[in-house]
Amino acid sequence: MKEIILAYQGEMSLKGLNRATFESVLLKTMRRRLKSLGNFKIYKAQSTMYAEPAGDEDIDAAEERIGKIFGIAAISRAAVCPKDFAVIADTAKEYLCGALRAAKTFKVSAKRSDKTFPMDSMEIARELGGVLLSAYPHLKVDVHHPDVNVTVEIRDFAAYVHGGKKPGAGGLPVSTSGKAALMLSGGIDSPVAAYMMAKRGLSLACVHFASPPYTSERARMKVLTLAKKLTPYTGNLNVYVVPYTAAQEHIRDNAPEDLFTVLMRRSMMRITRVLCEKESADAIVTGESLAQVASQTLKAIACTDAAQSLPVLRPCIGMDKTEITDIARKIDTYETSILPYEDCCTIFTPPHPKTKPHLDEIEAAEAGMPGLAELEAQAAAQAEVVYVNL
Ligand code: ATP
Ligand code: MG
């Protein structure tokens, strides 16, 4: 019996003229993500994407990967059969045998997009319901909350039988909303921010600030591991590792201690902006959450935003740590994020950072560091690009 994965597209079907672009991005993404699993034929018809194994490819692995592709609202794994009722009934009995044996209740849903098929949806559902009740006499019909929703889709090429749809990753296909640079630390929040913005269709490049020898090689590797864990959702990622030591020491040595963190964050934003130009990225994404730390108060955020002109997207801004952590666990970044390596944001931090900095005092402090711009330019120019592939 031939099995296939049906991936139903989501929100993008609402987008009118963009639809063709969205669909072609989605097809390309599916091809890329399944490539290393062998020969899957990927095609679309009637708002549904099909992933069909040529031989004995690992369909479990394919299903898992497709489940992480944004733009897909729901997935089902189906048996393919000819459009003949007797064959469809046999296929349902056999293919869903395990689920039907374990179930107490079921219903049959039928969808007929091929109107030349001689039975309509109601007839298919009624007839197949009868067949299944006599094959599995312990079952009862429950149209509201069935244990198994036996589904038959009569489409152009064939009939498909499955046990109901599962939710997909949702969102929009990556890259259809443009591109942004993600400031990726080793913490819990920024990988979650990446996931959330990729879900809204952004493609991402990552920027990580490292300050050796204050930060270690292990901290750098941790960030690359995080990036790798994001790729099933984001696709391949360029990670810019910025050598930030000189600029950071310069701020430490030449600015009021209580403004250090905000000054550093502005400096990081300016460098990230330069890298955005390289990547043709139109926004910066961070994992900031309102009032989580001194540099994330409203006043501090206002100062950070004033450092450069690209929009700064902060998808975690209204979330508390438990909500962020739940997503981190779901996307499997949590265990890596909690490894206890130092980050450049946690070195040199003053004991009493100012929680309500004013832009005037920040700009005055920067005016007292005429050498900083050059150090920032060097840091951006010397950033190492690491290609992190799926
Ligand atoms: P995270 O927010 O990722 O859990 P964190 O809470 O320790 O780490 P903060 O000090 O709150 O990080 O920094 C806020 C945001 O600034 C991060 O979410 C991230 O987007 C960015 N950031 C912090 N440190 C770095 C770094 N070393 N390189 C790149 N971006 C960073
Ligand atoms: Mg944080």
Side-chain angles (χ1 to χ4, degrees), residues 87-112:
V87 183
I88 292 170
D90 284 345
T91 304
K93 271 195 284 189
E94 191 187 329
Y95 182 61
L96 299 174
C97 155
L100 290 172
R101 283 219 176 103
K104 291 199 174 74
T105 59
F106 81 110
K107 79 168 182 184
V108 179
S109 312
K111 238 182 78 179
R112 183 185 60 144

mmCIF file of all heavy atoms in Angstrom, residues 87-112:
data_model
loop_
_atom_site.group_PDB
_atom_site.id
_atom_site.type_symbol
_atom_site.label_atom_id
_atom_site.label_comp_id
_atom_site.label_asym_id
_atom_site.label_seq_id
_atom_site.Cartn_x
_atom_site.Cartn_y
_atom_site.Cartn_z
ATOM 1 N N VAL A 87 -12.359 -0.487 -3.532
ATOM 2 C CA VAL A 87 -10.939 -0.420 -3.178
ATOM 3 C C VAL A 87 -10.732 0.561 -2.009
ATOM 4 O O VAL A 87 -9.969 0.289 -1.079
ATOM 5 C CB VAL A 87 -10.084 0.003 -4.392
ATOM 6 C CG1 VAL A 87 -8.602 -0.013 -4.033
ATOM 7 C CG2 VAL A 87 -10.360 -0.878 -5.592
ATOM 8 N N ILE A 88 -11.436 1.663 -2.054
ATOM 9 C CA ILE A 88 -11.328 2.655 -0.971
ATOM 10 C C ILE A 88 -11.729 2.015 0.363
ATOM 11 O O ILE A 88 -11.050 2.176 1.384
ATOM 12 C CB ILE A 88 -12.218 3.887 -1.276
ATOM 13 C CG1 ILE A 88 -11.655 4.654 -2.476
ATOM 14 C CG2 ILE A 88 -12.327 4.805 -0.055
ATOM 15 C CD1 ILE A 88 -12.571 5.738 -3.016
ATOM 16 N N ALA A 89 -12.811 1.261 0.336
ATOM 17 C CA ALA A 89 -13.299 0.627 1.569
ATOM 18 C C ALA A 89 -12.266 -0.375 2.099
ATOM 19 O O ALA A 89 -11.955 -0.390 3.296
ATOM 20 C CB ALA A 89 -14.639 -0.055 1.312
ATOM 21 N N ASP A 90 -11.704 -1.191 1.196
ATOM 22 C CA ASP A 90 -10.674 -2.152 1.629
ATOM 23 C C ASP A 90 -9.463 -1.417 2.186
ATOM 24 O O ASP A 90 -8.875 -1.831 3.188
ATOM 25 C CB ASP A 90 -10.225 -3.029 0.450
ATOM 26 C CG ASP A 90 -11.274 -4.091 0.137
ATOM 27 O OD1 ASP A 90 -12.163 -4.312 0.998
ATOM 28 O OD2 ASP A 90 -11.219 -4.687 -0.963
ATOM 29 N N THR A 91 -9.083 -0.349 1.516
ATOM 30 C CA THR A 91 -7.919 0.413 1.957
ATOM 31 C C THR A 91 -8.158 0.972 3.364
ATOM 32 O O THR A 91 -7.298 0.882 4.235
ATOM 33 C CB THR A 91 -7.629 1.573 0.977
ATOM 34 O OG1 THR A 91 -7.462 1.017 -0.322
ATOM 35 C CG2 THR A 91 -6.374 2.343 1.374
ATOM 36 N N ALA A 92 -9.350 1.534 3.586
ATOM 37 C CA ALA A 92 -9.656 2.103 4.908
ATOM 38 C C ALA A 92 -9.600 1.019 5.976
ATOM 39 O O ALA A 92 -9.030 1.214 7.050
ATOM 40 C CB ALA A 92 -11.028 2.778 4.887
ATOM 41 N N LYS A 93 -10.198 -0.129 5.683
ATOM 42 C CA LYS A 93 -10.214 -1.238 6.656
ATOM 43 C C LYS A 93 -8.796 -1.642 7.034
ATOM 44 O O LYS A 93 -8.471 -1.845 8.196
ATOM 45 C CB LYS A 93 -10.916 -2.463 6.044
ATOM 46 C CG LYS A 93 -12.410 -2.481 6.285
ATOM 47 C CD LYS A 93 -13.008 -3.850 5.990
ATOM 48 C CE LYS A 93 -13.125 -4.090 4.498
ATOM 49 N NZ LYS A 93 -13.883 -5.278 4.120
ATOM 50 N N GLU A 94 -7.970 -1.744 6.023
ATOM 51 C CA GLU A 94 -6.623 -2.259 6.245
ATOM 52 C C GLU A 94 -5.682 -1.180 6.808
ATOM 53 O O GLU A 94 -5.014 -1.381 7.818
ATOM 54 C CB GLU A 94 -6.085 -2.773 4.910
ATOM 55 C CG GLU A 94 -4.812 -3.570 5.035
ATOM 56 C CD GLU A 94 -4.243 -3.896 3.653
ATOM 57 O OE1 GLU A 94 -5.056 -4.052 2.700
ATOM 58 O OE2 GLU A 94 -3.015 -3.959 3.526
ATOM 59 N N TYR A 95 -5.686 -0.010 6.163
ATOM 60 C CA TYR A 95 -4.722 1.045 6.525
ATOM 61 C C TYR A 95 -4.977 1.568 7.937
ATOM 62 O O TYR A 95 -4.043 1.865 8.681
ATOM 63 C CB TYR A 95 -4.809 2.183 5.504
ATOM 64 C CG TYR A 95 -3.824 3.306 5.737
ATOM 65 C CD1 TYR A 95 -2.448 3.074 5.710
ATOM 66 C CD2 TYR A 95 -4.259 4.608 5.970
ATOM 67 C CE1 TYR A 95 -1.542 4.096 5.917
ATOM 68 C CE2 TYR A 95 -3.354 5.645 6.175
ATOM 69 C CZ TYR A 95 -1.999 5.376 6.144
ATOM 70 O OH TYR A 95 -1.107 6.395 6.350
ATOM 71 N N LEU A 96 -6.242 1.681 8.311
ATOM 72 C CA LEU A 96 -6.552 2.269 9.623
ATOM 73 C C LEU A 96 -6.872 1.204 10.666
ATOM 74 O O LEU A 96 -7.408 1.506 11.734
ATOM 75 C CB LEU A 96 -7.714 3.260 9.475
ATOM 76 C CG LEU A 96 -7.414 4.431 8.533
ATOM 77 C CD1 LEU A 96 -8.661 5.277 8.320
ATOM 78 C CD2 LEU A 96 -6.279 5.297 9.077
ATOM 79 N N CYS A 97 -6.517 -0.025 10.337
ATOM 80 C CA CYS A 97 -6.845 -1.160 11.189
ATOM 81 C C CYS A 97 -6.393 -0.962 12.643
ATOM 82 O O CYS A 97 -7.175 -1.145 13.580
ATOM 83 C CB CYS A 97 -6.234 -2.394 10.530
ATOM 84 S SG CYS A 97 -5.883 -3.716 11.621
ATOM 85 N N GLY A 98 -5.130 -0.550 12.837
ATOM 86 C CA GLY A 98 -4.599 -0.372 14.194
ATOM 87 C C GLY A 98 -5.404 0.661 14.967
ATOM 88 O O GLY A 98 -5.836 0.420 16.099
ATOM 89 N N ALA A 99 -5.639 1.811 14.333
ATOM 90 C CA ALA A 99 -6.364 2.902 14.995
ATOM 91 C C ALA A 99 -7.809 2.507 15.271
ATOM 92 O O ALA A 99 -8.349 2.798 16.341
ATOM 93 C CB ALA A 99 -6.312 4.153 14.119
ATOM 94 N N LEU A 100 -8.430 1.816 14.326
ATOM 95 C CA LEU A 100 -9.845 1.447 14.503
ATOM 96 C C LEU A 100 -10.015 0.368 15.577
ATOM 97 O O LEU A 100 -10.994 0.368 16.320
ATOM 98 C CB LEU A 100 -10.445 0.984 13.173
ATOM 99 C CG LEU A 100 -10.622 2.108 12.135
ATOM 100 C CD1 LEU A 100 -11.045 1.554 10.779
ATOM 101 C CD2 LEU A 100 -11.632 3.155 12.611
ATOM 102 N N ARG A 101 -9.059 -0.537 15.658
ATOM 103 C CA ARG A 101 -9.136 -1.564 16.719
ATOM 104 C C ARG A 101 -9.041 -0.905 18.094
ATOM 105 O O ARG A 101 -9.734 -1.307 19.025
ATOM 106 C CB ARG A 101 -7.968 -2.538 16.579
ATOM 107 C CG ARG A 101 -8.181 -3.528 15.472
ATOM 108 C CD ARG A 101 -7.684 -4.925 15.877
ATOM 109 N NE ARG A 101 -8.000 -5.851 14.808
ATOM 110 C CZ ARG A 101 -7.112 -6.310 13.936
ATOM 111 N NH1 ARG A 101 -5.842 -5.968 14.050
ATOM 112 N NH2 ARG A 101 -7.481 -7.115 12.965
ATOM 113 N N ALA A 102 -8.151 0.086 18.195
ATOM 114 C CA ALA A 102 -7.926 0.724 19.499
ATOM 115 C C ALA A 102 -9.043 1.704 19.868
ATOM 116 O O ALA A 102 -9.202 2.070 21.020
ATOM 117 C CB ALA A 102 -6.580 1.460 19.481
ATOM 118 N N ALA A 103 -9.819 2.130 18.862
ATOM 119 C CA ALA A 103 -10.825 3.176 19.103
ATOM 120 C C ALA A 103 -12.135 2.593 19.620
ATOM 121 O O ALA A 103 -12.423 1.409 19.427
ATOM 122 C CB ALA A 103 -11.081 3.930 17.795
ATOM 123 N N LYS A 104 -12.900 3.472 20.284
ATOM 124 C CA LYS A 104 -14.271 3.089 20.646
ATOM 125 C C LYS A 104 -15.263 3.718 19.676
ATOM 126 O O LYS A 104 -16.309 3.163 19.405
ATOM 127 C CB LYS A 104 -14.578 3.578 22.068
ATOM 128 C CG LYS A 104 -13.793 2.856 23.169
ATOM 129 C CD LYS A 104 -14.490 3.074 24.520
ATOM 130 C CE LYS A 104 -13.853 2.270 25.633
ATOM 131 N NZ LYS A 104 -12.548 2.833 26.060
ATOM 132 N N THR A 105 -14.910 4.914 19.214
ATOM 133 C CA THR A 105 -15.840 5.626 18.329
ATOM 134 C C THR A 105 -15.117 6.119 17.079
ATOM 135 O O THR A 105 -13.907 6.315 17.078
ATOM 136 C CB THR A 105 -16.436 6.853 19.046
ATOM 137 O OG1 THR A 105 -15.349 7.704 19.430
ATOM 138 C CG2 THR A 105 -17.224 6.455 20.285
ATOM 139 N N PHE A 106 -15.889 6.344 16.042
ATOM 140 C CA PHE A 106 -15.314 6.881 14.802
ATOM 141 C C PHE A 106 -16.384 7.640 14.042
ATOM 142 O O PHE A 106 -17.569 7.574 14.365
ATOM 143 C CB PHE A 106 -14.744 5.748 13.933
ATOM 144 C CG PHE A 106 -15.794 5.020 13.125
ATOM 145 C CD1 PHE A 106 -15.850 5.150 11.729
ATOM 146 C CD2 PHE A 106 -16.764 4.229 13.754
ATOM 147 C CE1 PHE A 106 -16.827 4.494 10.994
ATOM 148 C CE2 PHE A 106 -17.751 3.565 13.010
ATOM 149 C CZ PHE A 106 -17.778 3.705 11.631
ATOM 150 N N LYS A 107 -15.924 8.392 13.069
ATOM 151 C CA LYS A 107 -16.869 8.900 12.063
ATOM 152 C C LYS A 107 -16.164 8.871 10.721
ATOM 153 O O LYS A 107 -14.941 8.689 10.656
ATOM 154 C CB LYS A 107 -17.348 10.306 12.407
ATOM 155 C CG LYS A 107 -16.390 11.416 12.083
ATOM 156 C CD LYS A 107 -17.116 12.763 12.194
ATOM 157 C CE LYS A 107 -16.188 13.898 11.818
ATOM 158 N NZ LYS A 107 -16.808 15.213 11.994
ATOM 159 N N VAL A 108 -16.924 9.010 9.665
ATOM 160 C CA VAL A 108 -16.306 9.074 8.340
ATOM 161 C C VAL A 108 -16.560 10.462 7.770
ATOM 162 O O VAL A 108 -17.689 10.956 7.797
ATOM 163 C CB VAL A 108 -16.899 8.007 7.382
ATOM 164 C CG1 VAL A 108 -16.244 8.131 6.002
ATOM 165 C CG2 VAL A 108 -16.688 6.600 7.935
ATOM 166 N N SER A 109 -15.494 11.109 7.311
ATOM 167 C CA SER A 109 -15.655 12.378 6.592
ATOM 168 C C SER A 109 -15.201 12.130 5.163
ATOM 169 O O SER A 109 -14.155 11.524 4.955
ATOM 170 C CB SER A 109 -14.769 13.468 7.173
ATOM 171 O OG SER A 109 -14.883 13.514 8.571
ATOM 172 N N ALA A 110 -15.972 12.604 4.220
ATOM 173 C CA ALA A 110 -15.559 12.438 2.832
ATOM 174 C C ALA A 110 -15.531 13.789 2.151
ATOM 175 O O ALA A 110 -16.321 14.676 2.465
ATOM 176 C CB ALA A 110 -16.521 11.498 2.121
ATOM 177 N N LYS A 111 -14.566 13.942 1.255
ATOM 178 C CA LYS A 111 -14.453 15.178 0.486
ATOM 179 C C LYS A 111 -14.251 14.784 -0.961
ATOM 180 O O LYS A 111 -13.419 13.927 -1.260
ATOM 181 C CB LYS A 111 -13.222 15.955 0.965
ATOM 182 C CG LYS A 111 -13.540 17.337 1.467
ATOM 183 C CD LYS A 111 -12.276 18.064 1.882
ATOM 184 C CE LYS A 111 -11.513 18.605 0.672
ATOM 185 N NZ LYS A 111 -10.294 19.323 1.070
ATOM 186 N N ARG A 112 -15.031 15.368 -1.835
ATOM 187 C CA ARG A 112 -14.918 14.959 -3.223
ATOM 188 C C ARG A 112 -14.612 16.191 -4.054
ATOM 189 O O ARG A 112 -15.510 16.975 -4.366
ATOM 190 C CB ARG A 112 -16.246 14.323 -3.648
ATOM 191 C CG ARG A 112 -16.257 13.780 -5.035
ATOM 192 C CD ARG A 112 -17.631 13.275 -5.404
ATOM 193 N NE ARG A 112 -18.638 14.342 -5.327
ATOM 194 C CZ ARG A 112 -19.675 14.461 -6.156
ATOM 195 N NH1 ARG A 112 -19.874 13.566 -7.105
ATOM 196 N NH2 ARG A 112 -20.535 15.458 -6.016
#
